[in-house]
Structure formats: C-alpha cells, structure tokens
Amino acid sequence: MTKKRMKRRVLEMPEIKQGNNKFYVGEEDNPTAEISYVPTGEKRFIADSTYVSDEWRGQGVGKQLVERLVQHAREEGKLIIPQCPFTEKVMKENEEMQDVME
C-alpha cells in the first residue's frame, strides 16, 4: 500500500511591506498576506486581523507578520492588544514578544 503525499511548493520568504496601519505581502490593494492594526491612544495598537492566502499558508508568513508588528511596536514605544486570535496565540507562545503584549 502506498501513501499519497501532498507536495507543498515552498516559496522564497516574501518581502513584508508597511502600509497604512498594516504590514502586508504582495500589493497593498490586493495583499496575499497581511496583519492590520488600529492605533489606540498614544501607547497602544490593537492587532485586529491577520490574513494569509493559501499560497503562503503553512510557511511561517503569519508569524513573520506578527514579528514585524512587534518590531514596529518596540520602535514606536507602544503595546499590542492582540484581538486577532492568531496574533494572540503567536505572542503567547513566544516569550520574546510578550514585552509588548498587553
């Protein structure tokens, strides 16, 4: 008996670009992956949504987007309120991100 294996095409890691209250991969008006946030007061961002297309799913792109938002929060001296379940999960699982998590 043989097992069928699905081969997933591994892509080069994408360039993460900064847009208006978001970081994204692809074109800003039609991203293939993105994390969006809402500035809240002077000291916080609410991470409200993360999207990764099938093309990038399973390759760590979502985590890279969270990492980029964490880096941005540190640069700006802000905290992240992770309302997006994916962002919250990544931040809770990675101790090095928790300094900017509220």
Side-chain angles (χ1 to χ4, degrees), residues 56-71:
W56 292 112
R57 206 161 281 152
Q59 298 186 52
V61 174
K63 182 178 178 187
Q64 286 185 332
L65 290 167
V66 174
E67 289 170 343
R68 183 62 186 93
L69 180 59
V70 166
Q71 176 186 355

Side-chain angles (χ1 to χ4, degrees), residues 12-24:
E12 270 187 48
M13 283 299 165
E15 175 188 0
I16 296 177
K17 304 170 192 168
Q18 185 171 359
N20 187 28
N21 297 331
K22 68 180 177 180
F23 292 95
Y24 66 95

Side-chain angles (χ1 to χ4, degrees), residues 43-86:
K43 300 196 180 222
R44 292 175 183 84
F45 295 136
I46 294 174
D48 62 346
S49 176
T50 305
Y51 163 75
V52 178
S53 69
D54 289 341
E55 174 185 5
W56 292 112
R57 206 161 281 152
Q59 298 186 52
V61 174
K63 182 178 178 187
Q64 286 185 332
L65 290 167
V66 174
E67 289 170 343
R68 183 62 186 93
L69 180 59
V70 166
Q71 176 186 355
H72 181 61
R74 287 183 181 134
E75 291 166 354
E76 298 291 319
K78 298 192 178 195
L79 296 174
I80 298 169
I81 300 168
Q83 287 187 349
C84 165
F86 177 80

